[in-house]
Amino acid sequence: MENPQSTASIAGHPIHPMLVTIPIACFVGTLLTDIAYWRTAEMTWANFSAWLLTVGVIVAILAAIAGLTDFLGDRKIRAQPTAWLHMGGNLVVLVLSFFNMLVHTRDAWTSVVPTGLILSALVVIILIFTGWLGWALVYRHHVGVADEAT
């Protein structure tokens, strides 16, 4: 049986896993810079958080488009309950991060404490779960993995 294939790919390389690393790094970085701002009240950290969120949300939208293309492009992917959880969890991450981006447009302290910090922590917790699901899709269900040559 052939492995479920990535529809959104460049030269056989799936786009979604290439893109997701950027928002993951940005959203984890946002949590770290929010914590730094909370502990120091140094405005630079709040600014870093706002920039990280903006870049993270923009690239997450692109990754979501590639992931949705893969999801809709192969019925074998849609047949995986793990794929539905992965997609749903990442949509929650995107929505929470978008609202967190709006929260971070406020003045310094209110942009981070407590709402921004809570949203950042929730996003990272959900990312741990959805990242594990993404790993399972590739390594257990072989989504987007080329079949071995015989």
Side-chain angles (χ1 to χ4, degrees), residues 121-145:
L122 280 173
V123 163
V124 170
I125 290 167
I126 296 168
L127 279 175
I128 291 168
F129 176 68
T130 61
W132 176 73
L133 292 173
W135 175 90
L137 285 168
V138 173
Y139 291 100
R140 288 192 182 143
H141 305 291
H142 307 287
V143 172
V145 176

Side-chain angles (χ1 to χ4, degrees), residues 56-108:
V57 166
I58 290 168
V59 180
I61 290 169
L62 297 174
I65 292 168
L68 185 61
T69 301
D70 290 345
F71 184 80
L72 296 174
D74 191 333
R75 65 173 180 73
K76 289 180 275 187
I77 295 174
R78 290 189 306 277
Q80 301 290 335
T82 305
W84 287 90
L85 289 171
H86 178 72
M87 181 181 65
N90 283 327
L91 286 174
V92 170
V93 163
L94 185 55
V95 169
L96 288 176
S97 295
F98 177 77
F99 284 114
N100 198 12
M101 186 176 69
L102 296 177
V103 167
H104 276 76
T105 63
R106 294 192 235 161
D107 290 336

Side-chain angles (χ1 to χ4, degrees), residues 1 14 19 22 35 45 52 59 63 65 85 106 117 119 147:
M1 184 169 158
L19 289 176
I22 296 167
I35 291 169
W45 295 115
L52 285 166
V59 180
I65 292 168
L85 289 171
R106 294 192 235 161
L117 187 56
L119 287 172
D147 292 317

